Amino acid sequence: HPARQSGRLACVFCAATMLTSKSWLNTYILTFNCARNTIDTRIFASHLFDGLPKDSDPVSYPEVLVLSLQEIAPIAYAFLGGPFLEWYFDAFRLAVDLATPEDQRYQNVMTKSVGMTAIMVFIRDDQVDRIAWKDEAEVGVGVHQAGNKGAVGARIGYQVDYDSEDQLPLTFVSLHLAPDESAIDRRNQDWKDICQRLVFTGCDVAGQSGRQHRQYGEEGTPLIPSYHGAERGSGMYSPNTYLFVAGDFNYRTSHRDPQPGDMSAFPQPTNDTSSRNHYIHLLAHDQLTRERLANRTMHHLSEQPITFPPSYKYSLEAREGSLHHPEEGFKWAKNRWPSWCDRILYLENPFPGDESRKVQVHHYSLLPLFQTSDHRAVVISLSVPLKTPPALQDSAISPPFEIDHDWQSKRLIARKKEIAVGTMAYLALTWEGNGLILATILGLAAGYFTLYGLE
């Protein structure tokens, strides 16, 4: 019927208009210390999007999903990297698939690790063709600058509008800083090292390169190009980029280890802020908040008010399921102060003076405790204004530290050490490595006796 056909065309036109005129990019970021264990994919999937607003039915999943992961795997697999980590990454990919309906699935467009720290960037299927380019960076700040602690970065160019070639750079960083209650200065130094040596070399985001000619894989999936060959690298605080930093920052709530008498004041489920067990009293001693406000770490970054209990450190008893019954109380490990180690911070506005370009945060919270880790995952749901970056101005956010000119050579040396340590750990600490050693010994023995028998 002509009228019905006209109505359908009008609906298609309206939908296309809404898509091209969309003014916000919805983003969901999760940070989780995996404690070197593989996740339970079904349980993880059932809670993955708990931080999304619940006022929409059906749920509209965000265009961008970022997983910031620490202690992704045992040190042998993590330091060797490559195929040794695929089992752990595949568990998260499966969890994302299980958590979303078929009409709102995601593609994992970037996966990057440095030692035991990793980042995974997912883009909703219907938005993948708006990713014009991608870039990555890594740095170790652990022992001898190896990746037992460090940071990994993912940067993408998101096409602002289908009718233009303007792109909005988005930078996501996953990091893991030094542990222990007293190591405040070490964590601050780790942050400085990351600012100086986490360098993206593929593109200069200030240049606003045009959209690349799109190529497709065998299954019709858009291939996202990476930029190469830039003469000078750019750090986290490159002009025009929105910046999101998530990870196990490891800042604690005390300078010393807890004593037996301290445990009675550890946080417990209560809404009474006057109670000594309400988490707000411990939050007042948060090291990260103090150091950030004193401009000694996380420079220029903002954080939403914390309205949830500490993310670390839960006891083995808690991990076995007691947190599913809050009335029984939180069960904390006795050797660590409960702390908000796992955090997500962001650059609220990379274009000072233009309030319309500020990030809008919808929700900042914890996920339930998973049995595989003594940390609880932290999530944030937010929206980024979809606007073409303006011309660079003198008031743009400036990096807190200059890039270390030797960052690349330092990373290459550290990588060699990671491979050496990873190989030794693989041979000594894994069943596969033990089997390889045994097979080698048996092979040498068999060869020896064979040759001896020929004499």
Side-chain angles (χ1 to χ4, degrees):
H1 191 279
R4 185 175 300 171
Q5 186 176 8
S6 176
R8 288 175 179 169
L9 290 174
C11 289
V12 171
F13 176 78
C14 289
T17 302
M18 289 178 63
L19 185 61
T20 57
S21 62
K22 177 177 170 56
S23 59
W24 295 93
L25 179 65
N26 296 317
T27 303
Y28 190 81
I29 303 171
L30 172 145
T31 184
F32 182 48
N33 186 312
C34 308
R36 312 183 188 192
N37 294 316
T38 309
I39 59 168
D40 184 315
T41 54
R42 294 191 177 276
I43 294 178
F44 190 88
S46 66
H47 294 287
L48 173 57
F49 289 107
D50 282 1
L52 286 180
K54 301 297 190 295
D55 55 357
S56 61
D57 189 24
V59 176
S60 179
Y61 291 86
E63 291 85 354
V64 181
L65 166 65
V66 179
L67 305 183
S68 165
L69 308 170
Q70 305 82 45
E71 297 192 14
I72 179 70
I75 193 168
Y77 304 128
F79 272 23
L80 290 175
F84 292 95
L85 286 179
E86 282 305 302
W87 169 269
Y88 298 90
F89 289 134
D90 282 344
F92 286 101
R93 294 182 185 113
L94 177 57
V96 172
D97 278 347
L98 292 174
T100 52
E102 289 190 9
D103 61 340
Q104 297 197 62
R105 288 289 168 81
Y106 288 89
Q107 290 186 30
N108 179 202
V109 299
M110 292 186 73
T111 297
K112 177 69 175 174
S113 65
V114 56
M116 305 176 75
T117 303
I119 194 166
M120 304 180 76
V121 178
F122 296 81
I123 304 296
R124 210 174 62 198
D125 275 348
D126 61 324
Q127 299 293 309
V128 172
D129 63 347
R130 297 183 74 160
I131 308 302
W133 51 264
K134 61 183 181 180
D135 198 5
E136 58 188 30
E138 64 179 73
V139 60
V141 296
V143 179
H144 297 293
Q145 301 180 357
N148 55 308
K149 296 293 185 289
V152 59
R155 177 174 286 164
I156 59 175
Y158 190 90
Q159 189 180 352
V160 174
D161 193 286
Y162 280 109
D163 295 329
S164 79
E165 295 183 346
D166 296 323
Q167 298 150 21
L168 183 66
L170 303 168
T171 301
F172 304 97
V173 175
S174 171
L175 58 77
H176 194 184
L177 306 183
D180 296 329
E181 271 75 3
S182 61
I184 303 172
D185 292 338
R186 178 67 253 177
R187 286 186 278 276
N188 290 349
Q189 181 63 46
D190 284 351
W191 170 252
K192 179 179 179 180
D193 291 342
I194 290 169
C195 290
Q196 292 181 313
R197 294 191 278 117
L198 185 70
V199 181
F200 297 84
T201 58
C203 64
D204 179 6
V205 298
Q208 289 306 298
S209 301
R211 187 184 181 189
Q212 299 282 313
H213 175 68
R214 181 68 66 193
Q215 296 180 333
Y216 293 85
E218 294 180 359
E219 300 179 355
T221 303
L223 300 178
I224 304 170
S226 298
Y227 282 114
H228 297 287
E231 293 183 359
R232 63 184 184 87
S234 59
M236 290 190 296
Y237 290 89
S238 296
N240 287 350
T241 182
Y242 284 91
L243 173 62
F244 306 92
V245 181
D248 181 357
F249 295 1
N250 254 326
Y251 285 94
R252 308 300 174 88
T253 53
S254 176
H255 301 307
R256 58 173 178 80
D257 293 341
Q259 304 301 313
D262 296 324
M263 295 190 63
S264 61
F266 281 7
Q268 294 298 329
T270 176
N271 293 323
D272 181 7
T273 57
S274 65
S275 169
R276 68 195 299 253
N277 293 122
H278 193 282
Y279 68 80
I280 194 172
H281 302 292
L282 192 60
L283 183 59
H285 301 284
D286 176 56
Q287 295 173 352
L288 175 57
T289 300
R290 186 191 68 237
E291 296 300 298
R292 181 175 63 85
L293 294 178
N295 205 36
R296 289 190 286 263
T297 191
M298 306 296 155
H299 303 79
H300 307 306
L301 300 182
S302 301
E303 183 178 25
Q304 279 293 103
I306 292 177
T307 58
F308 48 83
S311 63
Y312 174 86
K313 173 182 170 86
Y314 292 91
S315 66
L316 180 61
E317 182 181 2
R319 293 165 61 179
E320 291 172 348
S322 63
L323 279 185
H324 294 296
H325 307 284
E327 66 277 4
E328 296 181 8
F330 298 136
K331 292 179 169 48
W332 305 102
K334 298 178 180 180
N335 62 330
R336 290 287 181 262
W337 280 91
S339 299
W340 287 263
C341 291
D342 309 275
R343 312 280 273 269
I344 304 174
L345 276 62
Y346 54 94
L347 186 59
E348 186 177 43
N349 187 0
F351 313 104
D354 187 347
E355 294 297 306
S356 68
R357 296 180 182 274
K358 293 175 64 173
V359 170
Q360 299 295 318
V361 177
H362 310 300
H363 194 63
Y364 185 40
S365 63
L366 285 172
L367 295 190
L369 183 70
F370 300 124
Q371 190 172 3
T372 57
S373 178
D374 51 4
H375 290 251
R376 289 174 69 175
V378 173
V379 294
I380 192 168
S381 172
L382 52 85
S383 296
V384 179
L386 266 183
K387 291 187 173 186
T388 303
L392 295 182
Q393 301 175 356
D394 293 336
S395 59
I397 300 296
S398 59
F401 308 102
E402 292 186 359
I403 291 177
D404 182 349
H405 296 297
D406 297 324
W407 69 269
Q408 199 164 24
S409 60
K410 291 178 179 178
R411 179 62 201 139
L412 289 173
I413 294 172
R415 180 63 188 138
K416 292 178 181 179
K417 295 177 181 178
E418 289 171 4
I419 294 174
V421 172
T423 301
M424 290 187 291
Y426 180 80
L427 294 173
L429 303 177
T430 70
W431 288 107
E432 306 99 303
N434 292 165
L436 184 61
I437 292 176
L438 179 60
T440 301
I441 293 174
L442 292 176
L444 291 173
Y448 170 80
F449 287 114
T450 299
L451 291 173
Y452 183 78
L454 294 176
E455 293 181 357

